[in-house]
Amino acid sequence: EYFEAMSAAIHETGGIVDKFVGDAIMAIWNAPTPDPDHLRRSCVAVLACKQAGDALMTHFEGTGRTPFFTRFGLHTGEAVIGDVGSSDRVQYSAFGAMVNLAARLEPLNKTYGTQIVVSEAVATPMKGQFLFRRLDRVVPVGVAQPINAYELMGVLSESTALAATARQRQLAKLWAYAITFYDDRDWVSAADAFRACVAHAPEDSAAAQMYERCQTFVKAPPPPEWDGADRRRGK
């Protein structure tokens, strides 16, 4: 029932289910048929999957079953894709560093208390169509260089069921203000700004963590050579 709901949202946006791995789903877009709109479609798909998952959680709880809580990771880039395998077994799939990074983004949700984490390669070209917030600069397991991790919060258009809520929009606005101070290493101002995020959304784990981190940096600033990446994330 769960796989059916998730797969439907993927297929409706032109994606294909590559494989099921335990209770996880790997999906790809822009293959086997090229789709110039694949990046937008994949973002819509993830939001639709989240919405479908939330509905299933409510349904399962109402029928006495254990609900599923789904986390998502989304990345875009070049990959090797096609029929691969041995002489007696062939599978159509995608391989490469791009696929690995997408898999590494998903577990970051556990750290930040989010559901959808995407890469900068997704957020930058889509920022005019979707609402994002830059969560942190991280070094996921298996990745050598720091990357910027973003939360996909919703569609910017208000004429869709997947639209970001007014509360999400306000949080993103407060967050963008706070992260500016953070990037400038103005830890006192950053702490005050993230405290406003916490006041607006007390349940937001990411805001609470960033507020706590800035308070720590006020007392013990990181060294000048620090690259801004929190290497604890993803471990």
Side-chain angles (χ1 to χ4, degrees):
E1 188 175 359
Y2 170 77
F3 284 147
E4 187 72 26
M6 297 293 108
S7 298
I10 293 167
H11 293 151
E12 287 172 2
T13 57
I16 64 171
V17 173
D18 179 287
K19 60 174 69 73
F20 299 109
V21 185
D23 62 354
I25 304 173
M26 175 179 168
I28 57 178
W29 285 260
N30 201 33
T33 303
D35 177 8
D37 197 31
H38 66 274
L39 193 52
R40 183 192 65 83
R41 290 175 181 268
S42 65
C43 290
V44 169
V46 174
L47 290 169
C49 281
K50 178 183 179 300
Q51 186 179 72
D54 291 345
L56 273 179
M57 284 179 65
T58 301
H59 173 63
F60 287 165
E61 288 177 332
T63 55
R65 287 181 285 173
T66 302
F68 278 71
F69 183 81
T70 307
R71 302 178 179 91
F72 306 88
L74 184 64
H75 181 46
T76 185
E78 292 185 352
V80 175
I81 186 166
D83 294 320
V84 296
S86 62
S87 59
D88 61 349
R89 181 176 176 81
V90 176
Q91 179 182 1
Y92 184 85
S93 189
F95 301 88
M98 183 272 287
V99 178
N100 294 335
L101 180 54
R104 301 300 186 185
L105 292 173
E106 181 272 324
L108 292 176
N109 287 289
K110 294 181 181 180
T111 296
Y112 298 103
T114 53
Q115 275 192 265
I116 307 174
V117 171
V118 307
S119 67
E120 191 165 29
V122 172
T124 298
M126 289 289 104
K127 65 180 180 180
Q129 300 184 51
F130 298 89
L131 181 66
F132 298 96
R133 64 168 169 167
R134 200 192 87 204
L135 289 169
D136 204 355
R137 187 166 174 79
V138 299
V139 181
V141 174
V143 178
Q145 300 299 322
I147 64 168
N148 288 322
Y150 292 76
E151 180 187 13
L152 170 57
M153 305 176 80
V155 179
L156 282 177
S157 171
E158 297 182 357
S159 59
T160 171
L162 302 177
T165 65
R167 197 160 185 267
Q168 286 177 315
R169 293 168 189 264
Q170 180 61 20
L171 175 59
K173 183 178 179 179
L174 292 170
W175 188 277
Y177 181 67
I179 208 74
T180 299
F181 290 120
Y182 185 86
D183 289 341
D184 289 340
R185 302 193 178 203
D186 183 349
W187 309 123
V188 173
S189 298
D192 288 342
F194 279 118
R195 182 169 54 191
C197 294
V198 173
H200 174 73
E203 77 289 350
D204 189 73
S205 176
Q209 290 181 51
M210 291 298 283
Y211 172 54
E212 182 180 349
R213 188 190 302 178
C214 289
Q215 285 185 306
T216 300
F217 286 166
V218 168
K219 300 175 182 178
E225 66 274 13
W226 182 54
D227 62 5
D230 187 348
R231 286 167 171 78
R232 295 173 298 171
R233 300 299 193 244
K235 290 186 177 180

